[in-house]
Amino acid sequence: MPLATTEQYGRMLDAAATGRYALPSVNVTSSETLNAAIRGFAEAGADGIVQVTVGGASFLGAGDALTGARALAQLAPVVADRAPVLVALHTDHCPPDHVADFLEPLIADSEERVARGEPPLFGSHMFDGSTLPLEDNLRIARGLLERCTAAGMLLEVECGVVGGEEDGIRGPTGPREELYTTPADLLRVADVLGTGEYGRYLVAATFGNVHGVHAPGTVQLRPEILKAGQEALGQRSPSARFAYVFHGSSGSTEAELAEAISSGVVKVNLDSDAQYAFTNAIAGHVFDNWRGVLKLDGVGDKQAFDPRSWGRAAEAAMAARVHEACEQFGCAGRSLAAQI
């Protein structure tokens, strides 16, 4: 099917919230990882989101992030058109210093497309103002929300700071308390960004989550923080509810995922685990075929070092991990495509 329209994207998120499941949002950096993500959604019968960071887009665009993002936005609809599920397109983790040279030009592209009667280039964008004081973060986010809404897109914001490192953005190395959003912080998000009257947005609230993969016991998740935020918002506006995003989900237990999703998480980012599945398959291929790959006899085995050989293995492995995530997040077999 074609990429999800604005209306379909909203329906995907609404269905996730109502059905108490989450959509996987898979980071991609190439045509192969894009194929793998969409293949995983299709095999699971699940709708999903494909996303790219500034660094991922730079890799995809031979060093130019804006070119890479635009290229992905041209390729994704072609690949997604063959899938029997809905796929939305998103940009992930744009820090303040790349708003002017990455995020705003992409929003401008969508504004121009919408003015011509075409769909926006992306379905949503993330502004990651977590390195700024909350008021500065929300001030910039409010302006971006208005532009995204007018162009038929959603905005994702981050309230609090996710630990670890993602695409060059490093979380706090000080007290662990910095990794936990407070209900007061979340209410301030609602004060500035509204509860729908200024446009639709997603909130990456932090509850101890950390980017990357870490040893057992290192990450101390407190999903109850998400529930507390919902309760605080409900006391102020009974019909309002935050649409949460779970960053740093790699290594989380089934119970932790389930509790976070039950508290309003509708989007779970999948990056490190997908990367590992992709690269581990390549390593396995090289280990199994090392003589031919390294050309120890001076000739080698073209079937072994042809990028298509290890590429197919990597794509299949990443697709399997995406499928597994769909099962874990509860969205497998629940695509809305048949209803469109």
Side-chain angles (χ1 to χ4, degrees):
M1 297 186 67
L3 286 178
T5 64
T6 301
E7 179 184 358
Q8 291 166 350
Y9 196 176
R11 288 177 63 182
M12 288 163 58
L13 296 170
D14 288 341
T18 302
R20 297 296 180 94
Y21 62 86
L23 301 170
S25 194
V26 184
N27 285 82
V28 301
T29 55
S30 63
S31 61
E32 284 180 317
T33 51
L34 172 65
N35 286 335
I38 295 177
R39 175 177 168 182
F41 299 150
E43 291 177 352
D47 300 327
I49 303 166
V50 170
Q51 62 186 24
V52 66
T53 62
V54 178
S58 178
F59 179 81
L60 184 61
D64 186 90
L66 189 56
T67 296
R70 287 169 170 162
L72 176 66
Q74 294 296 319
L75 178 59
V78 178
V79 178
D81 193 50
R82 300 180 296 118
V85 295
L86 294 175
V87 179
L89 195 59
H90 174 73
T91 62
D92 187 32
H93 280 294
C94 179
D97 58 348
H98 282 296
V99 168
D101 62 17
F102 183 76
L103 194 52
E104 289 183 335
L106 291 176
I107 294 174
D109 286 348
S110 289
E111 291 169 336
E112 293 173 4
R113 288 170 60 91
V114 170
R116 297 194 300 266
E118 301 172 8
L121 197 63
F122 283 82
S124 56
H125 295 288
M126 180 187 181
F127 166 59
D128 183 353
S130 61
T131 57
L132 302 174
L134 182 60
E135 292 303 315
D136 292 339
N137 176 358
L138 295 177
R139 174 180 52 80
I140 296 172
R142 173 63 183 269
L144 293 171
L145 176 62
E146 292 175 356
R147 289 186 67 183
C148 284
T149 300
M153 297 180 291
L154 284 70
L155 181 71
E156 180 181 331
V157 298
E158 187 160 317
C159 178
V161 184
V162 177
E165 187 270 335
E166 171 75 8
D167 208 47
I169 302 174
R170 183 168 293 280
T173 56
R176 293 194 61 85
E177 286 71 21
E178 295 182 34
L179 299 180
Y180 301 102
T181 302
T182 67
D185 292 335
L186 288 166
L187 288 178
R188 188 57 188 151
V189 172
D191 287 339
V192 179
L193 302 187
T195 55
E197 63 269 29
Y198 304 126
R200 188 162 189 166
Y201 62 90
L202 304 168
V203 184
T206 56
F207 51 102
N209 32 334
V210 179
H211 286 127
V213 181
H214 304 273
T218 302
V219 178
Q220 299 174 21
L221 293 181
R222 292 171 52 196
E224 66 270 16
I225 285 176
L226 303 179
K227 183 179 180 181
Q230 299 285 25
E231 291 173 346
L233 181 63
Q235 291 174 3
R236 175 184 293 184
S237 179
S239 62
R241 188 169 173 84
F242 289 116
Y244 289 130
V245 181
F246 187 167
H247 286 241
S249 70
S250 295
S252 300
T253 66
E254 296 279 353
E256 289 167 338
L257 285 167
E259 185 175 357
I261 291 170
S262 71
S263 297
V265 167
V266 294
K267 173 178 181 280
V268 179
N269 287 8
L270 183 69
D271 188 14
S272 297
D273 282 355
Q275 289 177 338
Y276 176 77
F278 188 87
T279 303
N280 186 57
I282 296 173
H285 173 86
V286 173
F287 285 142
D288 290 343
N289 301 276
W290 64 276
R291 289 183 177 276
V293 171
L294 297 180
K295 298 176 66 171
L296 293 186
D297 61 357
V299 178
D301 181 357
K302 187 179 186 306
Q303 299 301 316
F305 60 71
D306 186 328
R308 289 171 293 184
S309 60
W310 51 260
R312 289 191 190 97
E315 181 181 317
M318 180 173 164
R321 182 62 186 87
V322 172
H323 187 162
E324 180 184 357
C326 293
E327 299 283 353
Q328 292 173 326
F329 305 163
C331 62
R334 303 177 81 167
S335 174
L336 303 181
Q339 304 174 26
I340 303 302

